[in-house]
Amino acid sequence: MKSGKVLLGVLAGAAVGAIAGILFAPDKGSRTRKQIVDKGEDYADGLKEKYDEMTAVLSKKYNNAMQEVDALVAKGKNKYNQAMLEVDQAMANGKNKLDDTKNQNS
């Protein structure tokens, strides 16, 4: 976010400087107003491009993070399922041994 704030500050400073330069230039009022509008549109377009670029980068990072989370969840589910199978097998083996012991003692 720091780079976004710096970029916004630079653009705002450039816009203020351009407008101040136009206002102090010896031109007709209508021409000066047109130049201000043109510069404002140029800066707005530049800001929109930067916003779109930043949005695309953040979207890509978000999607990558979600893929990593999905992979970790799948891995966790696999480990859980494997552990449950091992527990079931251990319980079945224990039950079989208990039954064998009961049969031998009978």
Side-chain angles (χ1 to χ4, degrees), residues 1-39:
M1 288 309 259
K2 287 183 180 182
S3 63
K5 289 181 181 181
V6 171
L7 176 64
L8 186 60
V10 168
L11 287 174
V16 169
I19 290 172
I22 291 170
L23 288 174
F24 290 111
D27 269 337
K28 287 180 158 182
S30 60
R31 180 175 163 88
T32 301
R33 285 189 296 275
K34 181 168 177 16
Q35 286 178 335
I36 290 172
V37 169
D38 290 344
K39 285 289 182 184

Side-chain angles (χ1 to χ4, degrees), residues 10 17 27 34 46 52 56-58 69 78 82-84 88 90 96 103:
V10 168
D27 269 337
K34 181 168 177 16
D52 290 342
V57 167
L58 290 175
V69 167
N78 286 338
Q82 183 179 3
M84 290 306 293
D88 288 344
N96 289 338
N103 289 338

Side-chain angles (χ1 to χ4, degrees), residues 13-106:
V16 169
I19 290 172
I22 291 170
L23 288 174
F24 290 111
D27 269 337
K28 287 180 158 182
S30 60
R31 180 175 163 88
T32 301
R33 285 189 296 275
K34 181 168 177 16
Q35 286 178 335
I36 290 172
V37 169
D38 290 344
K39 285 289 182 184
E41 288 173 354
D42 289 344
Y43 287 122
D45 290 342
L47 188 57
K48 184 180 180 326
E49 286 177 19
K50 292 297 181 187
Y51 174 79
D52 290 342
E53 288 174 12
M54 190 169 21
T55 302
V57 167
L58 290 175
S59 178
K60 185 176 181 180
K61 286 183 180 183
Y62 172 79
N63 289 334
N64 288 342
M66 289 305 296
Q67 287 176 351
E68 289 179 17
V69 167
D70 289 343
L72 286 173
V73 167
K75 187 176 180 180
K77 283 181 181 179
N78 286 338
K79 288 195 178 254
Y80 171 79
N81 290 335
Q82 183 179 3
M84 290 306 293
L85 283 174
E86 290 174 6
V87 166
D88 288 344
Q89 288 173 350
M91 288 182 66
N93 289 342
K95 185 177 182 295
N96 289 338
K97 286 183 181 180
L98 182 62
D99 290 343
D100 290 344
T101 304
K102 281 182 181 179
N103 289 338
Q104 287 176 357
N105 291 336
S106 299

